[in-house]
C-alpha cells in the first residue's frame, strides 16, 4: 500500500479519504441494464439565458423568471425541449427574435419585444415549447417556482451542528442545472448568461462574470452578474452568504478570495500562489487566462472538493489550512486543478461526458505542471507515480474501462481514477512522446482552434499531429480508447560486459483487436506497444556516466541483448515513466542497491526500493537504512526506503525504522509511521504512540494512529482512544484513530465507532467510522445501523454506507439498498449501490479481509523464521571461526 499524496477531494471524483479499493480482482465496469449513451440531438441551440431569481431561504426554494434565447438549427423542428425538473410553471411566453438586455433591470426578459402565451407541455422533467417554423430565433420566457432536490443547496445551523453557517450555493455538474432553471443541460450547448439574484440583506452573492449592480442594490441584497463568454449550464454558479473578501491580481486580472469571516489569514496562506499559477499556465499554454476576472469562494458542506464554475470556483472548507496543517499539507494541487479548468472545460468544453477526460485529465495533469514549476522535477515525477498507483488501485480492485466510455447510467459513473489520474498520465506520455516544445505548441493550437467551442478526443489528437507531423492513432487507440494497461515483467541479467533484458507482457491477451471494439469497456487488454527505456550507469575513471538504450516492445515477449563497455553499476527501467502500467523489475541486488544510491534522478532511486523490499539480506537492509537516514535525499526516496524496510519485516529493519521515527521531514516521518505498523512488536507500539500523541504534524499523528492498530497489539487501544477526538485539519487525526481501531480488530472499539456514525460528528469522521464498522462487527445491529444511514443528505456518506454494507456481505441488506436505489438522485450513490447489489450475497469483502489476514500472518511467520535462521547461521559461523582459531 502506498501513502496517498492527494489529500483533497476534487471536482466529482470523490474524496480521497474513501477512494481505496480492495479486491481480489476487478469486475466489469458495465452493469446489467446499462445502455450506451449517445449525444442528444440539438434541433435548437441556446445563445443566452437571463435569470431573475429570488431565494426563499425559509422554504429552501426559489421563484424566478428565465429568458431563454434560442436559435434554430433544424429547419423542420417544431418545438424546443428544455430540461426543467420539479418546477411549478406559472407562465410560458414566446417572442420573435432574441433581444439582449442592455443593463440590469428587474425581471429578466421584460424587453420591448412582443410576447404571447406559448403553446407548451410539461411533464415534470422536460418543458417542450412550440416554435413556429418561420421563426429562426425565439425568446422564451418562463415564470416558475422550484424547491430543488439537487443543484441548489441551503445551509443553516441546527442543534447538532450549531456552528454551520447560513449559506446558499449551487453545484450543477454533471446535469443538475435543470433543477434550478430551464436549459439544455448538456455540455455541448454553450451560452452567455446573466443573473439578477435577490438574497437576504447583508449577504454577499457571487456568480459568473462581471458584477454590474451598484452598491445600493447590493446593500439591499440585489446582485446582477453578466458573463459575455459562452459556457455550458453545468458551470453556472450562485453562492450567497457572509464572507470576508481578500483581493489580489495577476496579469491585470482582478482576483478575489471569499472565505469565512475570521479565516482571513488562513485564506491568504492557502490561496497565496494563485497569481503565480495564472502567470505560469498562461505562459505554458500560450493562451492568456481567458476571462476578465477570477474568484474563489470557500463554502461549508460542499459536495465536491472544488468546482470550476466559469470565473468563480467554489471550494470546500477543507481547502483552508491553519499554520499547523501547512507544515506538510498543501492546497496548491486543488487550486491549480480548478484553475486549469478555466482553460480545459470552461474555454474548451468536452462535447459529451464520454470525452470528459479532456476536462479532468488536463486539470489533473496541470497540477503536476505547476508542482514541477514550483517545487521541481522530483516532485513532478513523484506526483505522477502516486497518480499511477491510484489508477492501478482502481483498475485492480474495482474495474477497468477505456478512458473514453459511453456505457454508463449517469455521467458521474465515469468521474473516477480512469478519467482523472489515467487521463492526466496519458497527457504526460504525450509530452514525453513529442517533447516539450511540440507538445505545448500542440496544446496551444488545440485551445486556440476550439476556444469557446466543444471538443472530442480526436480534436486534441489532430492538433498534436498537425504540429508534429506524427501519426498518433495507435497511441490514442491503446491508451484512451481501450481498457487496461500493460503488466510488464522485466528481468535484467549481466554476464561480463553484456546485458540481457527480457521483457514480458503478462496481462490477458486481447479477444477483440478491431477498431469497432475499441471502446468496449470490458474487452480484454491487448498487448501494448511502447518504448522500453533503460538507463545504464557506467563507472569510468572520470566518475560516472549514464548511457540510454531504447527498445521497442510491441509483442508478448522480447529479449534484448545489449553490449556494454563494462559491467554497469545500475540499470534504471523506465526512468521517465513512459509505460502507463505495472512494471516489475528483477535485477541483481548489487545493481539495485547502486541504483538506490546513485541513479541521477529521484525517480530512478525510488524505483529501486520496491524490488529491494523483496531481498532480505544485510547489504540491502543497510542500503535502505542509509537512504532513509540521508537528510540531503529527496523525501520521496526516503519514504520509499522506509516502506521497503517495513516490507522486509526483519529485526534489523525494525531497529532502523525506530531510529528514524524522529526525522525532521514530516513526510518521511509519516512513511516511517506507516512502515512501523507492519511490525507486531511492543517496540513498534512504543515508537508509534509517541508520534500519535505528540507529533506536530496532523498527518503524522493520523498515520501513527492508523499504524498502531495495524500492529494488533492490545496496548495500542488506550492510545487510540486518547487521540480519537482530537481536533485536526480535515478530521485526519480522528479518521486515523478510527482506522487504527478497525485495524486493531478489538471488539471493544465497536461502541466508540458506532457513536461516531451519528449526525453531528463531522462528516469525514462519520464516514471513517462507517467504513470501519464492518471490520469489527457483522451482526444484525451493525447491518441495521448502516441501513438507517442510507438516506443521509451527504452523497459521499451514502456512498460509503453502501460500501460498508458490501463489505459486511450480508445479503439481507439488499432490500434496503434497492429501496435507496429507487429514490436516490445522485449518480455516484446509484453507481455504488448497483455495484454492491451485484456483488452481495456471498461473504463479501469481509471474507477477503480474512483471507488477507491469513496471508499476512503467513508472511510474518515466514519473516520471523528467516530472521531466526539468520541468527542461527550467524551464531554457527562465529563458533566455527573460534574453533578454527583454536
Amino acid at each position: 500500500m502506498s501513502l496517498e499524496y492527494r489529500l483533497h477531494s476534487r471536482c466529482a471524483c470523490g474524496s480521497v479519504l474513501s477512494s481505496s479499493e480492495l479486491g481480489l480482482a476487478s469486475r466489469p465496469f458495465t452493469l446489467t441494464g446499462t445502455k450506451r449513451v449517445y449525444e442528444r440531438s440539438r434541433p435548437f441551440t441556446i445563445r443566452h439565458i437571463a435569470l431573475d431569481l429570488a431565494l426563499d431561504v425559509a422554504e429552501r426554494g426559489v421563484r424566478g423568471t428565465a429568458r431563454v434565447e434560442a436559435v434554430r438549427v433544424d429547419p423542420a423542428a417544431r418545438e424546443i425541449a428544455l430540461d426543467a425538473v420539479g418546477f411549478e410553471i406559472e407562465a410560458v411566453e414566446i417572442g420573435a427574435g432574441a433581444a439582449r438586455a442592455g443593463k440590469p433591470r428587474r425581471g429578466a426578459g421584460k424587453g420591448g419585444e412582443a410576447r404571447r402565451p406559448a403553446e407548451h407541455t410539461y411533464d415534470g422533467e422536460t418543458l417542450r415549447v412550440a416554435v413556429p417554423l418561420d421563426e429562426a430565433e425565439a425568446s422564451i420566457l418562463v415564470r416558475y417556482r422550484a424547491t430543488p432536490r439537487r443543484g441548489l443547496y441551503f445551509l443553516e445551523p441546527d442543534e447538532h451542528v450549531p456552528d454551520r453557517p447560513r449559506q446558499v450555493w449551487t453545484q450543477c455538474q454533471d446535469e443538475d442545472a435543470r433543477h434550478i432553471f430551464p436549459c439544455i443541460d448538456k455540455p455541448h450547448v454553450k451560452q452567455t448568461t446573466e443573473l439578477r439574484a435577490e438574497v437576504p440583506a447583508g449577504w454577499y452573492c457571487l456568480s459568473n462574470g462581471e458584477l454590474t449592480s451598484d452598491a445600493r442594490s447590493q446593500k439591499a441584497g440585489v446582485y446582477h452578474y453578466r458573463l459575455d463568454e459562452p459556457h455550458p449550464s453545468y458551470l453556472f454558479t450562485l453562492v450567497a452568504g457572509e464572507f470576508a473578501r481578500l483581493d489580489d491580481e495577476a496579469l491585470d486580472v482582478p482576483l478575489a478570495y471569499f472565505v469565512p469571516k475570521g479565516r482571513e489569514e488562513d485564506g491568504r496562506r492557502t490561496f497565496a500562489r494563485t497569481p503565480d499559477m495564472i502567470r505560469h499556465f498562461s505562459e505554458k499554454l500560450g493562451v492568456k487566462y481567458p476571462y476578465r476576472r477570477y474568484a474563489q469562494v470557500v463554502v461549508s458542506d460542499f459536495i465536491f472538493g472544488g468546482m470550476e464554475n466559469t470565473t468563480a470556483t467554489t471550494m470546500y472548507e477543507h481547502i483552508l489550512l491553519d499554520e499547523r496543517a501547512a507544515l506538510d499539507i498543501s492546497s496548491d494541487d486543488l487550486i491549480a486543478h480548478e484553475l486549469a479548468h478555466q482553460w480545459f472545460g470552461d474555454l474548451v468544453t468536452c462535447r459529451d461526458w464520454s470525452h470528459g477526460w479532456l476536462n479532468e485529465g488536463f486539470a489533473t495533469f496541470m497540477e503536476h505542471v505547476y508542482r514541477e514549476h514550483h517545487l521541481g522535477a522530483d516532485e513532478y515525477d513523484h506526483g505522477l507515480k502516486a497518480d499511477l498507483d491510484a489508477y492501478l488501485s482502481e483498475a485492480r480492485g474495482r474495474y477497468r474501462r477505456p478512458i473514453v466510455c459511453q456505457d454508463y447510467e449517469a455521467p458521474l459513473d465515469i468521474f473516477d481514477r480512469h478519467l482523472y489520474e489515467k487521463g492526466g498520465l496519458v497527457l504526460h506520455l504525450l509530452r514525453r512522446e513529442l517533447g516539450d516544445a511540440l507538445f505545448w505548441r500542440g496544446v496551444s493550437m488545440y485551445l486556440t482552434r476550439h476556444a469557446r467551442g466543444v471538443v472530442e478526443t480526436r480534436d486534441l489528437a489532430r492538433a498534436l499531429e498537425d504540429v508534429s507531423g506524427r501519426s498518433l492513432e495507435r497511441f490514442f487507440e491503446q491508451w484512451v480508447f481501450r481498457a487496461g494497461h500493460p503488466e510488464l515483467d522485466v528481468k535484467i541479467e549481466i554476464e561480463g560486459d553484456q546485458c540481457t533484458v527480457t521483457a514480458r507482457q503478462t496481462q490477458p491477451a486481447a479477444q477483440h483487436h478491431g477498431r469497432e471494439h475499441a471502446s468496449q469497456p470490458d474487452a480484454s487488454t491487448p498487448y501494448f506497444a511502447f518504448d522500453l527505456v533503460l538507463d545504464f550507469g557506467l563507472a569510468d575513471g572520470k566518475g560516472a556516466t549514464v548511457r540510454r538504450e531504447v527498445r521497442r516492445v510491441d509483442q508478448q515477449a522480447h529479449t534484448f541483448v545489449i553490449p556494454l563497455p563494462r559491467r554497469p553499476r545500475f540499470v534504471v527501467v523506465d526512468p521517465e515513466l513512459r509505460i502507463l502500467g505495472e512494471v516489475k523489475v528483477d535485477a541483481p541486488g548489487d545493481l539495485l542497491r547502486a541504483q538506490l544510491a546513485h541513479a541521477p534522478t529521484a525517480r530512478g532511486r525510488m524505483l529501486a526500493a520496491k524490488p529491494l523490499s523483496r531481498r532480505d539480506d544485510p547489504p540491502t537492509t543497510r542500503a535502505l537504512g542509509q537512504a532513509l537516514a540521508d537528510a540531503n535525499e529527496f523525501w520521496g526516496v526516503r519514504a520509499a526506503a522506509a516502506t521497503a524496510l517495513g516490507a522486509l519485516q526483519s529485526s534489523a529493519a525494525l531497529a532502523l525504522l525506530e531510529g528514524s521515527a524522529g526525522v525532521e521531514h514530516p513526510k518521511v516521518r509519516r512513511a516511517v509511521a506507516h512502515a512501523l505498523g507492519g511490525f507486531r512488536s511492543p517496540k513498534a507500539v512504543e515508537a508509534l504512540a509517541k508520534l500519535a500523541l505528540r507529533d506536530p504534524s496532523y498527518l503524522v499523528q493520523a498515520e501513527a494512529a492508523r499504524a498502531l492498530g495495524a500492529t494488533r497489539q492490545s496496548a495500542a487501544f488506550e492510545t487510540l482512544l486518547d487521540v480519537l477526538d482530537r481536533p485536526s485539519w480535515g478530521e485526519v487525526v480522528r479518521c486515523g484513530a478510527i482506522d487504527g481501531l478497525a485495524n486493531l480488530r478489538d471488539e471493544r472499539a465497536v461502541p466508540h465507532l458506532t457513536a461516531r456514525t451519528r449526525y453531528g460528528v463531522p462528516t469525514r469522521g462519520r464516514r471513517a467510522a462507517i467504513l470501519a464498522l464492518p471490520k469489527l462487527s457483522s451482526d444484525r445491529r451493525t447491518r441495521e445501523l448502516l441501513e438507517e444511514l442510507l438516506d443521509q443528505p451527504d452523497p459521499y456518506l451514502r456512498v460509503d454506507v453502501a460500501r460498508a454494507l458490501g463489505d459486511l456481505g450480508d445479503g439481507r441488506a439488499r432490500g434496503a439498498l434497492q429501496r435507496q436505489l429507487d429514490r436516490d438522485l445522485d449518480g455516484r450513490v446509484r453507481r455504488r449501490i448497483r455495484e454492491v447489489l451485484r456483488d452481495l450475497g456471498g461473504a463479501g469483502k469481509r471474507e477477503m479481509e480474512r483471507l488477507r489476514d491469513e496471508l499476512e500472518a503467513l508472511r510474518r511467520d515466514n519473516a520471523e523464521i528467516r530472521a531466526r535462521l539468520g541468527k542461527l547461521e550467524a551464531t554457527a559461523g562465529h563458533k566455527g571461526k573460534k574453533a578454527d582459531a583454536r
Side-chain angles (χ1 to χ4, degrees), residues 357 403 422-434 439 457 460-461 464-465 470-482 515 528-531 552 577-580:
W357 81 284
I403 292 178
K422 188 178 182 183
L425 289 165
V426 166
L427 293 165
H428 162 76
L429 260 60
L430 282 165
R431 182 185 185 186
R432 290 287 184 252
E433 184 85 8
L434 301 177
F439 173 77
T457 299
L460 174 63
L464 295 171
E465 288 178 335
R470 299 272 296 277
S471 171
L472 297 172
E473 184 176 10
R474 183 167 188 173
F475 179 97
F476 278 89
E477 180 182 36
Q478 72 175 10
W479 298 119
V480 178
F481 291 105
R482 284 183 174 168
R515 180 75 186 187
F528 286 78
F530 51 84
D531 286 339
R552 189 68 173 171
L577 208 170
R578 292 173 179 248
I579 304 172
L580 204 171

Side-chain angles (χ1 to χ4, degrees), residues 178-360:
R178 62 187 69 192
H179 295 266
I180 309 169
F181 58 93
C183 57
I184 297 179
D185 204 7
K186 294 289 182 181
H188 67 256
V189 173
K190 300 177 75 168
Q191 60 270 303
T192 57
T193 59
E194 62 182 301
L195 168 70
R196 180 188 181 279
E198 295 180 23
V199 304
W203 284 19
Y204 186 83
C205 179
L206 178 67
S207 189
N208 312 95
E210 302 284 332
L211 176 59
T212 61
S213 51
D214 56 32
R216 182 177 179 182
S217 297
Q218 294 172 34
K219 187 175 181 180
V222 177
Y223 290 78
H224 191 283
Y225 283 87
R226 183 184 185 90
L227 180 62
D228 290 328
E229 296 282 351
H231 64 147
S233 56
Y234 79 88
L235 294 174
F236 168 82
T237 186
L238 183 161
V239 176
E242 295 182 290
F243 302 98
R245 175 172 178 154
L246 308 171
D247 289 300
D248 210 337
E249 178 271 336
L251 299 179
D252 298 323
V253 177
L255 309 179
Y257 319 132
F258 297 91
V259 301
K261 292 181 177 179
R263 300 292 303 274
E264 290 88 341
E265 190 58 36
D266 294 342
R268 292 186 185 94
R269 178 185 298 111
T270 299
F271 294 115
R273 279 185 277 276
T274 303
D276 188 46
M277 293 177 190
I278 288 178
R279 288 189 290 268
H280 184 61
F281 287 176
S282 296
E283 178 183 352
K284 206 74 176 173
L285 298 171
V287 175
K288 189 179 176 182
Y289 172 77
Y291 305 103
R292 295 179 183 175
R293 59 185 63 249
Y294 184 57
Q296 297 173 92
V297 57
V298 180
V299 303
S300 293
D301 296 352
F302 195 50
I303 60 174
F304 293 167
M307 185 61 213
E308 67 275 11
N309 309 302
T310 316
T311 74
T313 288
T314 306
M315 299 288 199
Y316 72 166
E317 65 265 43
H318 301 305
I319 197 170
L320 293 177
L321 304 178
D322 60 38
E323 193 170 358
R324 186 178 171 192
L327 288 174
D328 55 349
I329 299 169
S330 172
S331 294
D332 287 349
D333 284 347
L334 177 56
I335 294 168
H337 182 101
E338 305 305 338
L339 173 63
H341 273 308
Q342 300 297 315
W343 286 267
F344 302 101
D346 297 17
L347 177 65
V348 173
T349 308
C350 62
R351 178 175 176 264
D352 62 68
W353 295 116
S354 66
H355 294 273
W357 81 284
L358 296 172
N359 296 6
E360 300 301 347

